Amino acid sequence: MARQATKKTAKAPAKRATAAKTTRAKKAPAKAAKSNLVVSDEVAIDITNMDKWYGDFHVLKGIDLKVMKGERIVVCGPSGSGKSTMIRCINRLEEHQSGRIEVDGIELTNDLKKIDEIRREVGMVFQHFNLFPHLTILENCTLAPIWVRKMPKAEAEEVAMEYLTKVRIPEQANKYPGQLSGGQQQRVAIARSLCMSPRIMLFDEPTSALDPEMIKEVLDVMVDLAETGMTMIVVTHEMGFARQVANRVIFMDEGQIIEQNEPETFFTKPKHERTKLFLSQILH
Amino acid sequence: MSNSTLSFVRTTMEVAKAPPASTVGVVGWMRKNLFSSWINTALTLFAIYLVWIIVPPILDFTIFNATWTADDREGCLAGGHGACWAYVEAKFGQFIYGRYPVEERWRVNIVFAIMAIGTVTLAIPSVPYKKWNAIFMLVIFPILAFFLLVGGYFGLHHVETPLWGGLLVTLVVAITGIVVSLPLGVLFALGRRSEMPVVRMVSIIFIEFWRGVPLITVLFMASVMLPLFLPEGVTFDKLMRVLIGVALFSAAYMAEVVRGGLQAIGKGQYEGAQALGLPYWKTMNLIILPQALKLVIPGIVNTFIGLFKDTTLVLIVGLFDLLGAIQLSFTDPKWSTPMTSHTGYVFAAFGFFIFCFSMSRYSIFMENRLHTGHKR
């Protein structure tokens, strides 16, 4: 069963790459020849010259990042490099102090309505799952569709069961989060985000808090999700996942983007010294 | 030889066996809990001794030597040195209704009955129509109770609040305090954690002011000082003033209890809710408060119980609650015996204990019911 899943997912990126190449060939032949950076010409997230400080501490320095619709980006880097802070700025869990962030064409400002609008479209999966322990799995999944999207309860439950089936735990629907294993909880968290039918998914170290045996079940779900064409930004140190799924890998250090490239080149021919050092530390 | 120690392969699985007889059942329980060591054994024997010297005199006073029927003090004096329950029976109406006119007491009874039925059905989880029941108890019942108890309308004889007394006053003060203080306390707790400076300042000042003064001062201020500040001719019912004072006072305590619960909820819960696009009030109502309030159920009920017993302080501003009514009855020469006050206080303690202990048990029941497995 597990082997099958790997096989299936291993094939998928190759297929996608050829598909992407053909579409790109028509639109922008000159650029496309260099890399498979461009998946669509629609911009999903546009960050320009963004800075953030925690008090006096300059955490993010002049971040520029343009994410196209359907792109799957893996962000890596040493701890404290600002990876999480950067993706948390995208749905305003952290406030940036200067520069510009545009998500789905909406600029992030202090306007609470716009922030809520963006949060409805951007799903987020956290390191510690952040499930609501007082609600059942099903209630966790239907809460936001019912209260934010004003979906009728029956419909919300139907949608929730559909996504719980996709993450392969429909039978846990009436349990509480505390009764599930870490891997199962994280899959519920993914399903919960998907129930809001987001256009963009952010993953903040989704497998870092899991036992080794459970990492794969979560990554498998994420691979499935990538195959649906979801725009994803994933902060992770799972380099296998990056190779398999990402079409761009970003390396950050000291609050800056140090290097970015398509995974193959990134892992085999890193250019910046810091990247080389980092990769040599984590790829034994 | 070395081979056999290094490698081992299990060929048959062990079958689960029953535990040794001395570790289970009554004997096992006693061994483990009462006589596990010589200190434990000594403490067990000491406890048995304490029970032996305390319990029999209590039973003698309350049951074996007690006078159950008598027409006046003579009967109780003849009965010896036990409790004079005949006196409690004779004064029972006064303990419950105070000086509420006898022919109007049916109104109080109706209010008590509705309250008992409403509260019990609300408290039992399996009874349906919770929402309507709650609306009835929180909106319709207080209005109904007000008109029934105060009167003056619909042909009901007006009963002034100075005539109210006994358990009636205790319950009116305690229940108003409980019902008003919880929502108000939640608001001030949220206010104190608000990011808006004005809201936070107002909440902090409110909480610190009311926590900083003793309840007796609040009651004195309400009944003695307040009329001095009000313009001439404007009067405010004394019971009403006490109710407001008690409600605000306990709201401040409640706010701090609830704030304790709010602080125990991790940042992740807020972020999880925010990331789903839930706005502030929905995040609070659906995610944060249900968890925070559940955590502080013991603290909330503690405050309720404290408030219930603090109602006895209204005596000092001239209102006679259950304890006040009982103390007042000591002065009646018809029932004056050496045992009267003892009996009265035992009865008062018993009355308060029933209410407080019920609240305590119900809180434990709710805690268990709302428990949803391990918390991360």
Side-chain angles (χ1 to χ4, degrees):
Chain A
M1 172 75 208
R3 253 186 226 159
Q4 266 179 349
T6 357
K7 258 190 206 165
K8 198 179 87 193
T9 48
K11 266 184 209 162
K15 243 190 248 166
R16 251 199 322 276
T18 42
K21 255 177 212 164
T22 47
T23 48
R24 247 184 287 113
K26 285 172 204 161
K27 280 174 191 165
K31 253 190 175 177
K34 277 184 193 163
S35 72
N36 64 346
L37 269 183
V38 184
V39 174
S40 139
D41 53 1
E42 232 179 290
V43 181
I45 301 168
D46 194 356
I47 304 176
T48 25
N49 201 19
M50 186 251 286
D51 286 88
K52 173 167 180 60
W53 288 264
Y54 283 131
D56 285 339
F57 180 55
H58 200 171
V59 239
L60 292 176
K61 301 166 189 159
I63 301 284
D64 279 301
L65 179 65
K66 194 179 258 187
V67 181
M68 296 303 180
K69 206 163 168 265
E71 255 198 305
R72 299 161 307 278
I73 292 180
V74 163
V75 183
C76 60
S79 62
S81 58
K83 317 173 291 271
S84 293
T85 311
M86 183 182 77
I87 71 163
R88 285 159 60 86
C89 283
I90 294 170
N91 67 352
R92 198 58 160 203
L93 289 183
E94 302 283 352
E95 196 181 330
H96 62 284
Q97 275 89 37
S98 76
R100 193 180 157 85
I101 301 179
E102 234 177 69
V103 181
D104 236 359
I106 307 167
E107 196 196 342
L108 264 176
T109 56
N110 280 326
D111 187 344
L112 286 176
K113 274 200 177 145
K114 285 198 172 153
I115 294 174
D116 281 337
E117 207 176 311
I118 286 172
R119 283 175 179 166
R120 281 198 289 269
E121 306 303 332
V122 180
M124 187 160 199
V125 175
F126 300 87
Q127 183 178 1
H128 295 289
F129 332 131
N130 297 357
L131 294 178
F132 308 131
H134 62 303
L135 300 176
T136 63
I137 300 307
L138 190 62
E139 286 166 341
N140 262 281
C141 292
T142 56
L143 184 105
I146 290 174
W147 291 96
V148 180
R149 291 245 189 257
K150 311 286 175 211
M151 198 185 270
K153 195 178 168 209
E155 193 189 332
E157 285 181 354
E158 204 177 301
V159 173
M161 284 314 294
E162 193 183 304
Y163 282 113
L164 285 175
T165 312
K166 278 191 184 156
V167 301
R168 301 163 203 148
I169 34 173
E171 71 283 359
Q172 312 283 4
N174 292 315
K175 290 193 183 166
Y176 285 96
Q179 296 167 298
L180 267 55
S181 74
Q184 290 174 323
Q185 290 195 42
Q186 192 60 297
R187 284 186 280 152
V188 172
I190 294 173
R192 179 177 76 176
S193 289
L194 293 178
C195 284
M196 285 291 283
S197 19
R199 293 189 219 176
I200 299 164
M201 284 288 287
L202 307 174
F203 292 84
D204 189 359
E205 308 211 24
T207 56
S208 309
L210 298 177
D211 289 342
E213 280 183 305
M214 291 165 182
I215 291 177
K216 190 175 171 307
E217 62 188 53
V218 171
L219 290 179
D220 282 349
V221 166
M222 289 168 64
V223 171
D224 288 353
L225 183 62
E227 281 172 22
T228 65
M230 175 67 75
T231 312
M232 291 163 72
I233 302 186
V234 185
V235 173
T236 186
H237 292 126
E238 293 297 329
M239 292 304 137
F241 174 80
R243 278 178 196 267
Q244 191 184 343
V245 169
N247 50 355
R248 187 160 28 141
V249 180
I250 291 177
F251 175 70
M252 287 182 74
D253 190 25
E254 292 176 12
Q256 300 159 68
I257 294 178
I258 302 286
E259 187 166 347
Q260 57 171 311
N261 216 328
E262 57 182 288
E264 203 46 44
T265 332
F266 179 85
F267 287 115
T268 51
K269 293 175 200 122
K271 293 192 184 71
H272 197 283
E273 281 309 313
R274 187 66 187 88
T275 318
K276 287 179 192 166
L277 179 67
F278 178 76
L279 287 176
S280 73
Q281 298 288 344
I282 63 164
L283 305 171
H284 321 285
Chain B
M1 203 53 218
S2 60
N3 258 0
S4 66
T5 49
L6 272 180
S7 83
F8 167 78
V9 178
R10 184 172 286 286
T11 50
T12 52
M13 300 304 278
E14 293 280 346
V15 181
K17 301 185 199 81
S22 63
T23 61
V24 290
V26 180
V27 177
W29 182 86
M30 281 173 65
R31 264 175 188 250
K32 189 177 157 212
N33 294 297
L34 301 181
F35 305 106
S36 63
S37 66
W38 68 267
I39 292 187
N40 203 342
T41 308
L43 286 174
T44 301
L45 295 176
F46 182 63
I48 291 171
Y49 172 70
L50 278 184
V51 169
W52 184 67
I53 59 168
I54 292 171
V55 173
I58 292 179
L59 292 179
D60 280 346
F61 177 80
T62 54
I63 297 171
F64 302 122
N65 293 337
T67 310
W68 297 88
T69 49
D71 294 329
D72 52 22
R73 61 191 293 268
E74 298 304 329
C76 281
L77 282 176
H81 52 279
C84 179
W85 294 124
Y87 138 81
V88 171
E89 197 190 335
K91 294 283 178 186
F92 194 73
Q94 193 188 329
F95 295 168
I96 303 297
Y97 309 98
R99 293 191 293 135
Y100 210 92
V102 178
E103 64 279 10
E104 304 290 339
R105 283 180 184 175
W106 59 272
R107 285 152 54 176
V108 182
N109 289 339
I110 289 181
V111 171
F112 280 171
I114 298 177
M115 190 186 70
I117 295 170
T119 317
V120 169
T121 50
L122 202 58
I124 299 174
S126 57
V127 178
Y129 307 117
K130 280 277 172 291
K131 193 174 145 195
W132 296 110
N133 197 342
I135 290 175
F136 174 78
M137 287 307 287
L138 291 174
V139 181
I140 301 173
F141 175 67
I143 299 170
L144 188 73
F146 176 82
F147 282 114
L148 265 175
L149 293 176
V150 178
Y153 301 90
F154 315 116
L156 289 174
H157 180 64
H158 178 64
V159 181
E160 292 169 333
T161 56
L163 294 177
W164 301 17
L167 187 66
L168 174 62
V169 162
T170 298
L171 288 180
V172 166
V173 175
I175 290 173
T176 313
I178 285 172
V179 171
V180 175
S181 71
L182 184 58
L184 213 56
V186 168
L187 281 182
F188 280 112
L190 291 176
R192 192 162 185 174
R193 287 167 58 83
S194 169
E195 284 168 15
M196 290 178 273
V198 177
V199 174
R200 191 170 59 234
M201 273 314 287
V202 169
S203 306
I204 291 177
I205 291 171
F206 176 90
I207 292 170
E208 296 304 339
F209 172 76
W210 289 99
R211 283 205 309 167
V213 290
L215 183 56
I216 292 192
T217 316
V218 174
L219 295 175
F220 260 126
M221 290 286 279
S223 68
V224 182
M225 300 289 283
L226 198 64
L228 298 179
F229 300 127
L230 290 173
E232 199 126 341
V234 177
T235 52
F236 230 113
D237 186 80
K238 192 201 266 175
L239 180 65
M240 182 59 107
R241 278 178 273 156
V242 166
L243 285 180
I244 295 173
V246 168
L248 295 182
F249 182 82
S250 40
Y253 278 88
M254 194 57 72
E256 287 299 281
V257 171
V258 173
R259 192 167 69 92
L262 290 174
Q263 274 173 344
I265 304 298
K267 212 173 138 217
Q269 292 292 307
Y270 291 88
E271 290 178 349
Q274 282 170 357
L276 288 168
L278 286 169
Y280 177 82
W281 283 107
K282 283 193 181 126
T283 304
M284 288 303 157
N285 287 334
L286 299 168
I287 310 297
I288 307 301
L289 284 174
Q291 295 183 60
L293 292 180
K294 186 181 91 185
L295 280 177
V296 291
I297 286 175
I300 291 174
V301 176
N302 204 13
T303 312
F304 284 169
I305 290 176
L307 167 63
F308 192 88
K309 293 187 292 186
D310 279 353
T311 56
T312 51
L313 292 175
V314 300
L315 181 67
I316 64 148
V317 294
L319 292 172
F320 292 94
D321 74 313
L322 178 57
L323 185 65
I326 290 173
Q327 281 179 325
L328 193 65
S329 72
F330 296 161
T331 54
D332 184 353
K334 192 184 171 198
W335 285 100
S336 154
T337 70
M339 287 304 146
T340 304
S341 65
H342 295 57
T343 310
Y345 284 126
V346 168
F347 180 72
F350 182 67
F352 278 99
F353 181 79
I354 287 181
F355 283 97
C356 296
F357 189 62
S358 318
M359 282 194 263
S360 162
R361 296 311 299 180
Y362 187 67
S363 97
I364 292 173
F365 167 72
M366 280 317 275
E367 265 178 73
N368 291 334
R369 193 180 129 73
L370 295 174
H371 183 71
T372 57
H374 331 281
K375 239 189 76 114
R376 220 159 232 290

